Amino acid sequence: MTARRRTKIVATLGPATSSPERIEALILAGLDVARLNFSHGLADDHRQRVRLVREIAARHQRYVAIMGDLQGPKIRIARFAQGPIQLKAGDPFTLSIRHPLDAGTAAIVGIEYPPLVEDCAPGDELLLDDGRVILQVRSVDASAVHTVVTVGGPLSDNKGINRRGGGISAPSLTDKDRQDIRLAAELDLDYVAVSFPRSGADIAQARTLVRAAGSQAWIIAKIERAEAVASDEALNDLIRASDGVMVARGDLGVEIGDARLAGIQKRIIQHARTLNKLVITATQMMESMVSSPVPTRAEVSDVANAVLDYTDAVMLSAESASGQYPVEAVQAMARICLGAEQEPTSLKSHHRLGETFSRCDETIALASMYAANHFPGIKAIISLTESGHTPLIMSRIRSGVPIYCYTRHVATQRRAALFRGVYTVPFDAATLPPAEVSQAAIGILSAQGLLQPGDWIILTKGDFYSDSGGTNGLKILRVN
């Protein structure tokens, strides 16, 4: 039997992937989560893409989650009067809150974020255009930040500004984000990603707005500010407040420096899994495939490294949104994930050993994984679930045993598409006599050739199939 890919694939939809044919090709290539980037495109563009994803996934009996990614307070320079400029090392350059926003020159440009003058001090480094141009602050007055160029290069309109080490005080949620949260609720999105959160309080505020809009979407915190990784306490605060995190390596790498990025990526993945949360690894994973049909060896290693660290998902951005080879990028990513999973760093886990558990369903989930990893005959774990919480907890444990999320809820079926090593099976236990539930559940996998007579399975369920968080039973059953 061919091994099933455990690591999930998130791909951003955009101009290159808006037609029914392209979206269908992405889904058949292995797309698990479609990302809508609210920094680009009109609301009607997103509505159309959501409709196509849902229709095509249903036609192929696939479960594809959809994530809306909020733009957040990206701090930018304004525009240049005569088009792009060229800055050289040693040039003086001023960022002004009073300069006209469309009249930038090689000496001065307006900024669309007036509090920058309060956030900067002499000696600070400002990184423009994802670090391609670097400025050192010489002085600050009430209306401008005066700098000297230390790393030069071309600079064009609306490029982003980061401060080395973080410390930009912009609030996490903008008026546009609030509008996009209402759109996410209208479209019944499964996940909402929050850009540039500084603390758990930012995520709590986003969750309040998402629920007030009538959405039950899970909240993903994008880790992209230096403050978010300044200490374990700061990182854990963000992780605990969210349902999952994204290692957003673009802005994070600019703020902390590229030398520290790989080690911090591993720390974020480890902390998220320890705290029973999802984790997505993102940004430039296969950047060369924007214009090339094959990835570089370095990109193959980058994706495989995240897989071996047990990330839930790896993500494509421009590669699938605007690149020339979006389908090939998903195919390559699926191939690399499968290859890396053939060489696991470990099939045993020390997850939460020595700790006490706070919930009954968590206790059942972790007991199931201990049994699965220590009883060689176990070929599958079946979790009858309402919310998907039990299979999520199970998937935090390193194991080679597939986990099947049996649920009657469409929202849970789609949500589980992001969980590593978890596969969705539509199933309504409440419609069956209690004595027949176990055999009916086993029968579905047997009919698909996933179980053979003599195999063992673990089945978890609650006494009442309508209670979220009610998993309280574990059975070990033999396939006959």
Side-chain angles (χ1 to χ4, degrees):
M1 194 192 328
T2 308
R4 287 184 79 169
R5 174 171 49 83
R6 303 175 67 78
T7 310
K8 304 306 179 74
I9 294 174
V10 183
T12 306
L13 302 185
T17 43
S18 289
S19 70
E21 296 77 17
R22 274 284 170 84
I23 289 175
E24 182 170 41
L26 289 183
I27 289 172
L28 293 176
L31 173 71
D32 297 295
V33 182
R35 172 179 173 254
L36 308 176
N37 185 353
F38 287 144
S39 298
H40 304 286
L42 302 173
D44 281 345
D45 297 334
H46 298 309
R47 288 187 182 98
Q48 172 77 347
R49 288 166 188 149
V50 168
R51 183 182 65 76
L52 287 171
V53 169
R54 296 256 162 89
E55 287 177 1
I56 295 167
R59 192 160 72 235
H60 289 283
Q61 297 183 303
R62 286 284 311 280
Y63 299 93
V64 176
I66 304 180
M67 174 189 299
D69 195 329
L70 302 177
Q71 178 175 303
K74 184 79 172 180
I75 298 162
R76 301 178 186 276
I77 60 171
R79 296 166 294 285
F80 295 97
Q82 304 294 326
I85 63 165
Q86 185 76 30
L87 293 176
K88 300 191 301 294
D91 287 350
F93 192 64
T94 297
L95 308 170
S96 169
I97 66 175
R98 300 224 172 113
H99 194 74
L101 293 179
D102 55 0
T105 69
I108 187 169
V109 71
I111 46 176
E112 301 203 45
Y113 175 67
L116 188 69
V117 297
E118 298 160 22
D119 291 340
C120 291
D124 286 350
E125 271 191 324
L126 296 179
L127 303 106
L128 276 55
D129 192 14
D130 286 342
R132 293 178 178 88
V133 172
I134 301 178
L135 314 174
Q136 185 166 57
V137 178
R138 283 290 172 86
S139 65
V140 182
D141 58 39
S143 65
V145 179
H146 304 281
T147 76
V148 64
V149 178
T150 56
V151 175
L155 192 62
S156 55
D157 296 352
N158 302 316
K159 293 303 181 188
I161 305 171
N162 295 83
R163 178 175 172 270
R164 178 85 75 194
I168 298 291
S169 60
S172 178
L173 293 165
T174 65
D175 289 342
K176 175 174 166 41
D177 294 334
R178 294 167 196 272
Q179 188 177 328
D180 288 334
I181 283 171
R182 291 192 287 274
L183 177 63
E186 174 202 325
L187 298 176
D188 191 25
L189 299 192
D190 306 292
Y191 292 94
V192 170
V194 179
S195 294
F196 302 101
R198 287 166 301 184
S199 68
D202 288 337
I203 300 302
Q205 182 191 11
R207 191 183 298 278
T208 299
L209 291 170
V210 168
R211 296 293 176 262
S215 168
Q216 294 302 309
W218 282 20
I219 311 298
I220 302 294
K222 295 170 69 176
I223 309 294
E224 48 193 340
R225 291 198 200 234
E227 299 95 311
V229 295
S231 67
D232 285 349
E233 291 75 23
L235 177 59
N236 290 347
D237 178 51
L238 266 173
I239 295 171
R240 286 192 177 100
S242 67
D243 299 297
V245 297
M246 182 190 294
V247 190
R249 305 184 304 181
D251 284 283
L252 181 62
V254 170
E255 292 209 355
I256 65 172
D258 53 10
R260 294 183 59 209
L261 189 59
I264 283 180
Q265 172 179 311
K266 290 176 180 289
R267 175 152 63 100
I268 295 169
I269 294 172
Q270 179 198 345
H271 280 232
R273 292 182 61 83
T274 298
L275 294 171
N276 291 333
K277 301 300 171 82
L278 296 162
V279 58
I280 302 163
T281 305
T283 319
Q284 294 182 336
M285 297 211 81
M286 307 185 85
E287 184 82 356
S288 74
M289 290 195 73
V290 169
S291 56
S292 165
V294 292
T296 66
R297 288 287 178 266
E299 289 165 343
V300 171
S301 295
D302 184 30
V303 173
N305 180 56
V307 171
L308 292 170
D309 286 337
Y310 279 70
T311 189
D312 283 277
V314 285
M315 191 174 107
L316 296 167
S317 298
E319 302 96 330
S320 58
S322 56
Q324 297 174 38
Y325 301 98
V327 178
E328 290 85 347
V330 173
Q331 290 169 336
M333 198 165 244
R335 191 169 64 243
I336 296 161
C337 290
L338 263 172
E341 289 162 7
Q342 304 311 303
E343 305 292 337
T345 50
S346 170
L347 284 178
K348 295 289 188 288
S349 174
H350 299 288
H351 180 78
R352 307 201 63 188
L353 286 178
E355 290 186 32
T356 54
F357 308 139
S358 58
R359 295 172 50 147
C360 177
D361 54 353
E362 180 183 30
T363 306
I364 294 292
L366 296 174
S368 300
M369 299 311 296
Y370 188 87
N373 280 346
H374 290 80
F375 186 7
I378 301 287
K379 293 296 188 289
I381 299 162
I382 296 173
S383 174
L384 275 50
T385 181
E386 291 287 300
S387 68
H389 190 258
T390 301
L392 170 67
I393 304 294
M394 290 174 173
S395 65
R396 303 306 85 189
I397 300 283
R398 297 187 175 215
S399 174
V401 181
I403 301 162
Y404 294 94
C405 171
Y406 277 55
T407 183
R408 62 194 174 122
H409 298 293
V410 173
T412 305
Q413 290 163 3
R414 294 199 302 246
R415 182 184 297 146
L418 185 51
F419 304 175
R420 182 185 173 109
V422 175
Y423 312 102
T424 294
V425 177
F427 187 79
D428 188 353
T431 63
L432 295 168
E436 296 177 16
V437 168
S438 298
Q439 284 309 313
I442 291 171
I444 292 173
L445 296 186
S446 297
Q448 295 176 22
L450 298 170
L451 292 175
Q452 307 299 325
D455 289 345
W456 292 88
I457 66 109
I458 290 172
L459 185 141
T460 67
K461 63 184 184 67
D463 288 337
F464 304 101
Y465 297 115
S466 59
D467 289 356
S468 179
T471 298
N472 63 359
L474 182 161
K475 290 182 175 181
I476 299 178
L477 302 168
R478 194 162 202 176
V479 180
N480 55 36

